[in-house]
């Protein structure tokens, strides 16, 4: 009778299988119930030994038979051996001793006990060294090791198996010991807490505490805690909506605020919430999703964020998300939402269709406000990432649109973006938008700027005013969802769709400029797109290594070009600030009785400013209508050969161009250095720095007399910040009332800078900045004001006479 091959009923000897797995160093079989073996159980006369790693186990019989013959005991005892024998015993030999060849059949008689092969210390040392480097050698490594150590490959294989098992057991024992220690500490801490709860003590007097009613302070804290939890739930919901999926559960540990949020297409990203003041070493609220992405809120403990701040930021997020949805839908929708104007050819918004299709996220239109909305699409020489970075940086944004933005700042960074990119960035910004005319006031707007990546190479940046959600905030102009959609093109350029939607108080605008604003040529998408295209083209040309030289230029090295361009930029910025009365310069408006109401006179003192001459500076500006096209007017004012017809600084003769730096494919977009010829020997020659620019929405001619030695230093690469100058010039805008029907059509066909600049009349702004007294403490006289007023009137009359506009 055979019991699964363990007992041979022919000989009564016990039989072992070589493929029995084992992990411990010994086995113990005891108290075997003989009822499983039958009514007769005979103890074997001899044992069949086998060994494990470093141990020798034998099957011995020392059981005792009870009188009724029901109980049989057998123990497999371990042979004693020294420690070095334990380490040198080979597990492969153990397997060989009990291999299937020896015990394959029950008919084969039992063999004699084999001698065990013990590894030498050198073999064990080599095996250990290999094990430290690779605990799982492949077959090739085992064969090589067996040949080198004169061992059977199976011996090497089983040695590594047993060594790994031993290592695992040691690690588990160590971990168990650590867990037991930790468990003991927690148990002791739990007992101490329980004991403290049984006998509460007063923290002030040390006596036993009396459990009474909840204090008022604790009650307030609980109420505040409940409100904070509600705000946390709201932030979770907004975060989930922001990422395109619902938020998960959240919990609040002691040191961090952790929100589980779903991840859309941008796994590994996260966006950052930060306080208005960002300390260097402040605690962080980490809102993560467990995959590396997270929303991190940096909060200053010295200036804690109140419940109202969280509520305000959640409303900011709601407003930004609603504005982004509206912008994308408006950009992707055509007729009947957008219709082409018969007067200008610009796509303007159908207000009735808009009111039907969209809900106003900024609230109702205030009384006395009018709407202006336009759309423009074009190709820009810039990739989407670079344009997005420019728009999200307030300083770079102002540099990209120098004649349109007088001042801008980032009030608060609510979100800095996800995964190190601008995706999800949300900024609270303030800007002063200007039109170069004293008859149009500067637009001061506070708005949210939100950036989102919709697909690979597709971005959207939206602006929306916060007047509707911030108490006590009101202005004469507010931005409804406006911005741009940017899509990368294969040639490194971008396709940009720009939308401008604003509401403003019309009665503050001069009647001469109201048609220009209402049709979108002043602050609309047409002007933003034209300025963006011109500036990107300028940057591309300036960064190009091959710059085509102008005829007969004065040689200028690379550093000299940079210094000259920097000086020209400062000159143009000062001119624009003087025309629009920017807050960057502290101008004081003067009311003089004998000065025309359309002429604005302002004054300021210049003290300790190396870029300006010290003393009292007078600024005079006015705007007039001219019955000539903007392009013709620009060409006339920018031509140095015709300058003597209107400029008193030309000494009545033509000027010569000494240096020229191109800023566009159009030769008119440039910075040049002009020199006036002296009429007689008593007059000294004079240098004039001039910058001219023109695009599809307007033109600019700015100039200033400069000192010859200072300008020579600049052209040699010197610092231009110490060159004193006072700019004057002209700003030219197309007239919205006549001759602009083919504006957009001609621009799309590539004719010049657009039909708006080629036909119809022009709105010309003339501005002068003059030093009337070199002493800052001196008083301004009426004669100085009249002199500047006469200069403006005389210049306008000369321009009209030269262009044969006297009769109109």
């Amino acid at each position: 009778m055979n019991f699964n091959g363990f007992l041979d009923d022919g000989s009564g000897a016990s039989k072992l299988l070589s493929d029995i797995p084992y992990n411990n160093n010994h086995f113990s079989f005891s108290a075997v119930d003989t009822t499983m073996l039958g009514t007769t159980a005979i103890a074997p006369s001899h044992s069949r030994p086998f060994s494990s790693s470093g141990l020798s186990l034998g099957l011995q019989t020392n059981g005792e038979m009870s009188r009724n013959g029901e109980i049989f005991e057998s123990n497999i005892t371990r042979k004693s051996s020294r420690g070095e024998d334990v380490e040198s015993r080979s597990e492969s030999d153990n397997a060989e001793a009990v291999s299937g060849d020896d015990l394959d059949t029950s008919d084969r008689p039992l063999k004699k006990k084999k001698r065990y092969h013990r590894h030498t210390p050198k073999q064990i040392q080599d095996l250990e060294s290999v094990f430290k480097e690779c605990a799982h050698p492949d077959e090739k490594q085992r064969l090589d090791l067996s040949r080198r150590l004169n061992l059977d490959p199976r011996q090497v294989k089983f040695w590594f198996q047993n060594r790994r098992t031993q290592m695992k057991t040691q690690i588990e024992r160590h971990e168990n010991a650590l867990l037991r220690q930790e468990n003991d500490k927690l148990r002791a801490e739990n007992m101490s807490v329980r004991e403290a709860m049984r006998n509460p003590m007063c923290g002030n007097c040390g006596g036993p505490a009396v459990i009474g009613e909840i204090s008022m302070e604790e009650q307030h804290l609980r109420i505040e805690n409940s409100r904070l939890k509600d705000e946390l739930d709201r932030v979770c919901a907004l975060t989930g909506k922001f990422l395109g999926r619902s938020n998960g559960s959240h919990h609040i540990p002691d040191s961090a605020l952790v929100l589980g949020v779903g991840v859309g297409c941008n796994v590994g990203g996260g966006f950052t919430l930060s306080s208005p003041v960002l300390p260097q070493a402040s605690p962080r609220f980490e809102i993560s999703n467990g995959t590396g992405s997270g929303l991190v809120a940096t909060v200053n403990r010295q200036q804690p964020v109140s419940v109202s701040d969280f509520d305000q930021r959640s409303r900011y997020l709601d407003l930004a998300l609603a504005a982004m949805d509206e912008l994308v839908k408006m950009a992707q929708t055509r007729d009947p939402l957008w219709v082409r104007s018969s007067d200008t050819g610009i796509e303007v918004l159908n207000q009735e269709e808009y009111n039907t299709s969209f809900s106003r996220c900024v609230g109702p239109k205030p009384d006395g406000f009018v709407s202006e909305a336009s759309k423009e699409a074009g190709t820009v020489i810039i990739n989407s990432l670079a344009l997005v970075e420019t728009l999200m940086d307030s300083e770079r944004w102002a540099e990209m649109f120098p004649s349109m933005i007088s001042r801008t700042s980032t009030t608060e960074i609510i979100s800095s973006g996800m995964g190190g990119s601008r995706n999800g960035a949300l900024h609270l910004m303030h800007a002063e938008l200007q039109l170069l005319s004293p008859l149009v006031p500067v637009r001061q707007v506070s708005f949210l700027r939100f950036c989102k990546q919709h697909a690979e190479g597709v971005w959207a940046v939206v602006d929306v005013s916060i007047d509707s959600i911030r108490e006590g905030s009101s202005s004469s102009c507010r931005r409804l969802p406006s911005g741009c959609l940017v899509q990368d093109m294969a040639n490194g350029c971008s396709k940009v769709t720009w939308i401008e939607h604003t509401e403003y108080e019309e009665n503050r605008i001069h009647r001469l400029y109201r048609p220009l604003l209402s049709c979108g040529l002043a602050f609309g998408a047409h002007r933003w797109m034209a300025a963006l295209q011109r500036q990107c083209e300028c940057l591309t040309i300036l960064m190009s290594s091959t710059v085509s030289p102008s005829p007969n230029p004065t040689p200028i090295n690379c550093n000299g070009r940079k210094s000259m361009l920097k000086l020209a930029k400062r000159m143009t910025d000062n001119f624009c600030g003087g025309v629009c009365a920017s807050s960057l310069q502290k101008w004081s408006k003067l009311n003089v009785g004998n000065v025309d109401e359309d002429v604005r006179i302002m004054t300021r003192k210049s003290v300790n400013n190396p870029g300006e001459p010290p003393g009292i500076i007078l600024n005079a500006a006015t705007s007039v209508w001219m019955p000539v096209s903007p392009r013709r007017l620009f060409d006339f004012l920018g031509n140095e050969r015709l300058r003597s017809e209107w400029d008193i600084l030309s000494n009545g003769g033509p000027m010569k161009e000494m240096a020229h730096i191109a800023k566009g494919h159009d030769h008119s977009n440039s910075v040049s250095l002009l020199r006036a010829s002296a009429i007689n020997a008593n007059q000294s020659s004079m240098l004039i720095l001039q910058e001219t620019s023109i695009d599809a929405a307007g033109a600019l001619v700015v100039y200033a007399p400069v000192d010859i030695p200072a300008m020579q230093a600049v052209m040699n690469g010197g610092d231009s910040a110490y060159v004193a100058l006072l700019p004057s010039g002209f700003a030219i805008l197309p007239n919205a009332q006549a001759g602009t029907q083919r504006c957009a059509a001609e621009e799309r066909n590539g004719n010049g800078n657009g039909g708006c600049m080629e036909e119809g009349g022009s709105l010309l702004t003339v501005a002068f900045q003059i030093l009337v007294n070199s002493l800052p403490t001196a008083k301004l006289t009426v004669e100085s004001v009249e002199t500047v007023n006469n200069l403006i009137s005389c210049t306008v009359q000369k321009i009209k006479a030269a262009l044969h506009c006297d009769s109109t």
Side-chain angles (χ1 to χ4, degrees), residues 142-158:
R142 291 197 302 267
L143 291 174
D144 180 69
L145 194 59
S146 63
R147 287 193 298 268
R148 183 156 50 91
L149 300 180
N150 196 20
L151 293 174
D152 188 83
R154 295 182 62 194
Q155 291 178 300
V156 176
K157 177 180 178 181
F158 292 136

Side-chain angles (χ1 to χ4, degrees), residues 178-194:
L178 294 178
L179 291 175
R180 281 195 298 270
Q181 294 178 2
E182 186 68 22
N183 191 25
D184 294 339
K185 291 181 181 179
L186 292 176
R187 186 180 294 107
E189 184 178 353
N190 189 16
M191 294 179 61
S192 62
V193 171
R194 289 177 179 271

Side-chain angles (χ1 to χ4, degrees), residues 567-673:
L567 180 61
K569 180 181 182 303
R570 176 162 64 89
M571 175 185 68
T572 304
D573 291 344
N574 290 345
F575 171 78
C576 296
V579 172
C580 301
S582 172
S583 60
L584 287 175
Q585 299 173 341
K586 298 180 180 179
W587 291 102
S588 299
K589 186 177 180 180
L590 298 178
N591 295 321
V592 184
N594 57 349
V595 177
D596 189 72
E597 63 178 4
D598 290 340
V599 179
R600 183 171 63 188
I601 306 294
M602 299 183 299
T603 182
R604 63 184 175 89
K605 295 180 180 180
S606 176
V607 181
N608 298 328
N609 189 352
E612 293 178 343
I616 298 178
I617 299 174
L618 200 64
N619 182 87
T622 189
S623 296
V624 296
W625 179 78
M626 300 290 290
V628 294
S629 67
R631 182 74 201 197
R632 182 186 172 192
L633 184 58
F634 172 77
D635 291 339
F636 170 74
L637 296 174
N639 192 338
E640 67 275 6
R641 298 181 182 88
L642 303 177
R643 195 180 187 94
S644 59
E645 297 186 25
W646 58 267
D647 188 8
I648 61 175
L649 297 178
S650 63
N651 296 329
M655 287 192 173
K656 183 179 180 181
E657 187 177 64
M658 305 298 297
H660 181 92
I661 301 176
K663 296 182 64 178
H665 296 296
D666 191 333
H667 183 73
S668 301
N669 291 323
S670 62
V671 174
S672 56
L673 188 64

Side-chain angles (χ1 to χ4, degrees), residues 122-136:
K122 180 63 169 59
Q123 291 174 336
I124 295 176
Q125 183 179 0
D126 292 344
L127 289 171
E128 288 288 350
S129 61
V130 174
F131 181 82
K132 291 179 181 180
E133 297 178 359
C134 178
H136 295 269

Side-chain angles (χ1 to χ4, degrees), residues 444-726:
Q444 299 195 18
V445 289
S446 295
F447 57 93
L448 292 171
R449 174 160 291 180
F450 180 45
C451 176
K452 185 176 181 181
Q453 184 179 12
H454 292 271
E456 185 66 27
V458 179
W459 294 77
V461 179
V462 65
D463 297 346
V464 59
S465 292
I466 60 172
D467 297 350
S468 60
I469 62 174
R470 189 166 69 175
E471 298 179 358
S473 176
S474 62
S475 62
S476 59
C477 173
R478 60 181 188 173
R479 292 169 66 82
L480 279 73
S482 306
C484 61
L485 257 67
V486 188
Q487 182 177 2
D488 278 330
M489 300 176 66
N491 57 357
C493 301
S494 298
K495 180 183 178 181
V496 179
T497 302
W498 202 289
I499 292 177
E500 278 296 317
H501 191 186
T502 59
E503 294 176 345
Y504 60 94
E505 195 173 356
E506 189 178 29
N507 57 11
R508 300 185 62 196
I509 310 300
H510 194 278
R511 292 186 178 274
L512 183 64
Y513 279 85
R514 288 183 184 180
L516 189 71
L517 269 70
S518 62
C519 72
L521 289 176
F523 292 100
H526 179 72
R527 188 182 177 208
W528 286 98
M529 179 64 70
L532 178 63
Q533 290 175 330
R534 175 175 55 83
Q535 191 69 9
C536 289
E537 178 185 296
C538 171
L539 294 176
T540 302
I541 292 178
L542 293 179
M543 290 186 296
S544 176
S545 58
T546 59
V547 180
S548 58
S550 61
N552 301 322
T554 300
I556 306 175
N557 56 30
C558 182
N559 293 330
R561 293 176 71 250
K562 291 181 180 179
S563 297
M564 193 171 172
L565 289 171
K566 186 176 181 181
L567 180 61
K569 180 181 182 303
R570 176 162 64 89
M571 175 185 68
T572 304
D573 291 344
N574 290 345
F575 171 78
C576 296
V579 172
C580 301
S582 172
S583 60
L584 287 175
Q585 299 173 341
K586 298 180 180 179
W587 291 102
S588 299
K589 186 177 180 180
L590 298 178
N591 295 321
V592 184
N594 57 349
V595 177
D596 189 72
E597 63 178 4
D598 290 340
V599 179
R600 183 171 63 188
I601 306 294
M602 299 183 299
T603 182
R604 63 184 175 89
K605 295 180 180 180
S606 176
V607 181
N608 298 328
N609 189 352
E612 293 178 343
I616 298 178
I617 299 174
L618 200 64
N619 182 87
T622 189
S623 296
V624 296
W625 179 78
M626 300 290 290
V628 294
S629 67
R631 182 74 201 197
R632 182 186 172 192
L633 184 58
F634 172 77
D635 291 339
F636 170 74
L637 296 174
N639 192 338
E640 67 275 6
R641 298 181 182 88
L642 303 177
R643 195 180 187 94
S644 59
E645 297 186 25
W646 58 267
D647 188 8
I648 61 175
L649 297 178
S650 63
N651 296 329
M655 287 192 173
K656 183 179 180 181
E657 187 177 64
M658 305 298 297
H660 181 92
I661 301 176
K663 296 182 64 178
H665 296 296
D666 191 333
H667 183 73
S668 301
N669 291 323
S670 62
V671 174
S672 56
L673 188 64
L674 308 178
R675 183 164 189 167
S677 302
I679 299 178
N680 51 57
N682 296 329
Q683 291 183 342
S684 60
S685 299
M686 178 178 54
L687 292 180
I688 293 179
L689 179 66
Q690 177 175 282
E691 180 175 9
T692 57
S693 61
I694 185 171
D695 54 38
L700 200 63
V701 178
V702 184
Y703 64 92
V706 291
D707 185 56
I708 295 179
M711 202 62 207
Q712 289 177 346
V714 170
M715 296 174 66
N716 291 328
D719 190 0
S720 62
Y722 297 96
V723 178
L725 52 79
L726 291 176

Side-chain angles (χ1 to χ4, degrees), residues 219-235:
Q219 186 175 358
H220 285 313
L221 290 175
R222 291 188 177 185
I223 295 174
E224 184 179 359
N225 187 32
S226 177
R227 294 176 61 184
L228 288 175
K229 287 182 179 179
D230 294 338
E231 293 299 328
L232 178 59
D233 294 336
R234 184 182 302 178
V235 173

Side-chain angles (χ1 to χ4, degrees), residues 760-771:
S762 304
L763 294 175
L764 175 64
T765 297
V766 185
F768 292 97
Q769 291 187 29
I770 300 175
L771 182 69

Side-chain angles (χ1 to χ4, degrees), residues 400-451:
M400 183 64 76
F401 304 94
S403 61
M404 299 183 64
I405 303 173
S406 62
R407 189 176 185 180
T408 182
S409 61
T410 300
T411 307
E412 181 180 358
I413 300 178
I414 303 172
S415 168
S416 61
M418 296 191 300
S421 68
R422 291 293 187 178
N423 185 23
L426 179 60
H427 295 181
L428 178 61
M429 305 178 71
H430 179 80
E432 296 180 4
L433 308 180
Q434 62 188 8
L435 186 69
L436 296 181
S437 173
L439 307 182
V440 180
V442 174
R443 291 182 171 182
Q444 299 195 18
V445 289
S446 295
F447 57 93
L448 292 171
R449 174 160 291 180
F450 180 45
C451 176

